[in-house]
Amino acid sequence: MAKISFVYPIEEIIGKLKDKFGAGRHKAANAKGLRDQWTVHYGTRTTPVTEDEMAARTRFAAVQAMVNTRKKDGTKRAQDQADFKAQSAYKTLTAYLWHVCGEEYDASLESGE
């Protein structure tokens, strides 16, 4: 059931308003304090997935698997942490590993493995 609270112009919309469309706003605590969070659902996709989108999804899944494997590998952990501390472009170790594993994945595609 949809619920709307009116305060100029609209304070809150929760639930489905029409068929596949829905929107909601709530306050949530995060690193920056209590902030408004918005969620909007526009409906279902009507166009087929393109080859570029499929390639991007495949790359994302492969790099994600590489990062998760590398984070659990104790033999590479010390070297990865030292390399991460030596650089300043990436703020987290996970972001740094995404960069490294992404480059490894792209290099493997270029070499044809």
Side-chain angles (χ1 to χ4, degrees):
M1 174 180 226
K3 173 186 165 191
I4 298 177
S5 301
F6 288 101
V7 177
Y8 183 77
I10 295 176
E11 176 65 26
E12 188 174 8
I13 300 173
I14 299 173
K16 289 184 178 181
L17 298 178
K18 180 180 182 242
D19 196 25
K20 304 277 185 196
F21 175 81
R25 186 184 110 185
H26 64 279
K27 292 200 180 284
N30 57 23
K32 296 182 180 179
L34 191 63
R35 298 171 56 106
D36 291 340
Q37 307 291 320
W38 282 93
T39 304
V40 178
H41 304 282
Y42 290 106
T44 57
R45 185 181 186 129
T46 58
T47 58
V49 179
T50 65
E51 289 183 22
D52 289 341
E53 289 173 317
M54 286 303 297
R57 290 178 186 182
T58 302
R59 181 184 187 279
F60 183 88
V63 172
Q64 181 183 29
M66 291 170 70
V67 168
N68 289 339
T69 303
R70 191 162 179 150
K71 284 173 104 173
K72 294 175 185 175
D73 186 4
T75 59
K76 293 184 179 181
R77 185 174 300 138
Q79 184 61 43
D80 286 339
Q81 289 175 343
D83 293 343
F84 169 69
K85 288 180 182 177
Q87 59 84 39
S88 62
Y90 300 96
K91 294 184 180 189
T92 64
L93 178 62
T94 302
Y96 173 73
L97 290 177
W98 269 86
H99 169 72
V100 170
C101 292
E103 285 183 343
E104 288 177 8
Y105 179 78
D106 294 340
S108 70
L109 288 180
E110 291 174 4
S111 65
E113 292 179 8

